[in-house]
Amino acid sequence: MIERTAERGGRVTPVHGPGAGAPPLAGLGEEGERAALAADARDTVCRRAEFLLPPLPASARHPEVAYFAGNSLGLQPRAVRAAVQAELDDWALHAVEGHHRAAHPWLPYHAELREDAAALVGAAPEETVVMNSLTVNLHLMMATFYRPAGERTRIVIEDHAFSSDSYAVRSQAVHHGLDPDETVVRLRPRPGEDCLRTEDIVGYLAREGHRVALVLLGGVNYLTGEFLDIPAVTAAGHAAGCRVGWDLAHAVGNVPLALHDWDVDFAAWCSYKYLNAGPGAVAGCFVHRRHVTDPDLPRLAGWWSTEQATRFEMRPELVPVPTADAWQISNPPILAMAPVRVSLRMFAETGMAALRERSLALTGYLEALLAEVVRDRPLEIVTPSDPARRGAQLSLRVGGGAGGGGGGGDADATGLADRLHRVHGVLADVRRPDVIRLAPVPMYSTFHDCWRAADALAAEVTPS
């Protein structure tokens, strides 16, 4: 358990004490496997039994899959089926009256998710709303916070931003009549490096911030797993007069967040990765309190943006509420929100402090094992080695010949991932051209999963 926390640069960093779930010391081999299984037997945080695992390929050597793709799509909690069925039953029983009479009434349904979502991202309840999908929420936020004027027109993203973010910011530039190639600035790592340095982001904003209207970065980078220094970058953006928003798709449910205290202007996240709420699950959004209480901010609006008390008076004029609900447009999709409600409750029960503690142990253990594997093989860990600079992910760059697929790096990575799954039951994912991502998700991954992943890589990749 966490005995205390250390504040470093505004970020809360767990400090390990006795009993903190330190990783097994043994490496690969039979002794290492026994140590991993023993660590799992002592574990009191993992909730693996409460999730459904996909079936193994018939050729795999283990009784169940080692799932490392939760940073792409989380596993299904067993409780989700009953939660969705309950809403279907209430629909059948109450029809339209379910808006008021359902076990979880539909009219205020989204409000039932608010406190758990807020706690997960370090926000006040009135700063948080569960709605829409991630990129829709980013567009709604940019409709308010991206207001180019004069020479202040640029949008800053990272060069390795997820494609959807790139499309979104470029389309916003076009929407404002600007040239996206000139407006969107893509910050690149230093030559020969894979991850952005905080000082380079801060340095750019100090030099060019007077030309920047919006900074929009990923809290945890989808490709490398790097956890950016959100408070430092946010402060640098504000010092330069910029609005600062964050895409938390790979951060929420993965790393501790304190959006209100970090003074973030806005953030958005999806719920289908670490939050395990299902494919295309309803997303979330944060707007800082100083903005939600400003009725003069421009925002796109719809029926659910107005106050609930007068909503059914069908007035033509909007009456905004002093919460993040003011950015809602439509009524919530109940059948899609039921899995989110289940997921958020699980996170509230376990707590991000305990999950982060377990994540540090799992990822550190996997890193130690992989260090043995990559030492003499065409594999390279591109995720930062500093635990404070990463989430529950280690990304491996696959060199030529490692995957047995022939041709370039893409074929190698794809071929290797296929054999890890088909032969060893280790399910990871590939990001082109040459990266395999392994995500030891603290809610359900095990130390033995980590041992199996490293053992499988050692078996499938021939030493150089």
Side-chain angles (χ1 to χ4, degrees):
M1 59 183 292
I2 295 177
E3 293 187 330
R4 58 190 175 89
T5 59
E7 293 287 346
R8 187 167 62 196
R11 178 177 296 172
V12 179
T13 305
V15 177
H16 296 256
L25 297 179
L28 297 174
E30 293 183 3
E31 182 181 353
E33 183 175 19
R34 286 194 296 269
L37 290 168
D40 290 331
R42 297 191 299 269
D43 197 303
T44 60
V45 176
C46 182
R47 301 179 68 159
R48 185 187 188 94
E50 297 175 53
F51 289 85
L52 295 168
L53 290 162
L56 278 172
S59 55
R61 300 187 294 111
H62 291 274
E64 59 182 23
V65 73
Y67 191 74
F68 286 95
N71 57 349
S72 186
L73 179 66
L75 294 175
Q76 181 186 141
R78 293 179 181 273
V80 160
R81 186 178 298 272
V84 174
Q85 186 61 54
E87 302 303 341
L88 291 171
D89 291 344
D90 277 342
W91 182 14
L93 178 64
H94 300 298
V96 70
E97 292 182 331
H99 284 87
H100 302 282
R101 297 182 61 185
H104 299 276
W106 303 332
L107 184 64
Y109 198 99
H110 70 281
E112 193 171 336
L113 283 59
R114 191 190 313 281
E115 290 197 9
D116 287 346
L120 201 55
V121 299
E126 66 269 21
E127 297 174 314
T128 313
V129 61
V130 175
M131 63 181 189
N132 305 318
S133 60
L134 168 57
T135 309
V136 170
N137 287 341
L138 288 176
H139 276 299
L140 290 173
M141 293 297 100
M142 285 189 281
T144 293
F145 294 106
Y146 177 54
R147 315 297 294 180
E151 66 173 350
R152 191 182 286 277
T153 60
R154 294 180 184 174
I155 305 173
V156 172
I157 63 173
E158 69 268 41
D159 193 42
H160 288 317
F162 195 74
S163 297
S164 186
D165 287 12
S166 294
Y167 306 153
V169 296
R170 288 178 64 86
S171 69
Q172 284 284 332
V174 171
H175 178 71
H176 286 276
L178 301 170
D179 182 346
D181 292 330
E182 295 181 358
T183 302
V184 178
V185 176
R186 305 181 69 91
L187 297 183
R188 293 177 173 83
R190 297 182 184 185
E193 298 184 0
D194 292 287
C195 299
L196 281 171
R197 298 192 186 194
T198 299
E199 59 264 32
D200 292 345
I201 304 172
V202 171
Y204 175 83
L205 293 173
R207 294 189 309 273
E208 298 291 334
H210 62 285
R211 304 180 189 276
V212 176
L214 175 66
V215 179
L216 180 58
L217 300 172
V220 172
N221 184 265
Y222 86 98
L223 184 65
T224 66
E226 179 188 15
F227 182 16
L228 291 182
D229 194 333
I230 296 176
V233 173
T234 300
H238 287 166
C242 316
R243 298 291 198 189
V244 184
W246 293 89
D247 176 343
L248 302 178
H250 289 266
V252 70
N254 178 12
V255 293
L257 298 167
L259 299 184
H260 176 86
D261 290 346
W262 293 343
D263 206 28
V264 168
D265 289 303
F266 70 87
W269 57 90
C270 59
S271 300
Y272 53 82
K273 301 181 189 297
Y274 291 97
L275 294 192
N276 314 308
V282 182
C285 201
F286 162 88
V287 184
H288 198 279
R289 181 183 289 144
R290 66 179 178 278
H291 301 309
V292 302
T293 56
D294 182 355
D296 296 325
L297 276 180
R299 57 174 73 90
L300 299 178
W303 196 25
W304 239 248
S305 309
T306 195
E307 63 177 9
Q308 182 175 324
T310 60
R311 184 175 297 146
F312 288 91
E313 293 178 8
M314 306 301 183
R315 299 177 181 177
E317 298 84 13
L318 178 76
V319 181
V321 291
T323 72
D325 285 10
W327 277 265
Q328 285 189 107
I329 290 179
S330 300
N331 52 319
I334 302 304
L335 298 181
M337 276 192 159
V340 182
R341 179 173 56 81
V342 170
S343 166
L344 290 175
R345 196 86 291 270
M346 294 179 75
F347 276 87
E349 291 166 356
T350 304
M352 271 308 302
L355 288 169
R356 178 60 169 169
E357 185 79 354
R358 188 167 190 273
S359 175
L360 291 169
L362 279 172
T363 308
Y365 174 52
L366 178 60
E367 181 185 40
L369 293 176
L370 291 179
E372 296 184 38
V373 177
V374 306
R375 184 166 50 238
D376 57 355
R377 290 172 172 85
L379 300 169
E380 176 192 7
I381 300 174
V382 299
T383 305
S385 59
D386 180 358
R389 292 187 59 215
R390 68 187 182 202
Q393 175 178 327
L394 293 176
S395 295
L396 289 170
R397 176 164 292 119
V398 180
D410 183 19
D412 292 334
T414 301
L416 177 56
D418 175 70
R419 288 208 317 285
L420 291 176
H421 185 209
R422 177 166 40 83
V423 178
H424 303 273
V426 174
L427 183 53
D429 72 358
V430 173
R431 286 296 177 261
R432 295 179 180 179
D434 56 3
V435 171
I436 288 180
R437 304 185 306 166
L438 297 169
V441 177
M443 187 70 84
Y444 52 71
S445 295
T446 65
F447 288 105
H448 190 235
D449 288 341
C450 295
W451 182 90
R452 283 175 55 189
D455 181 66
L457 283 164
E460 293 298 331
V461 182
T462 303
S464 302

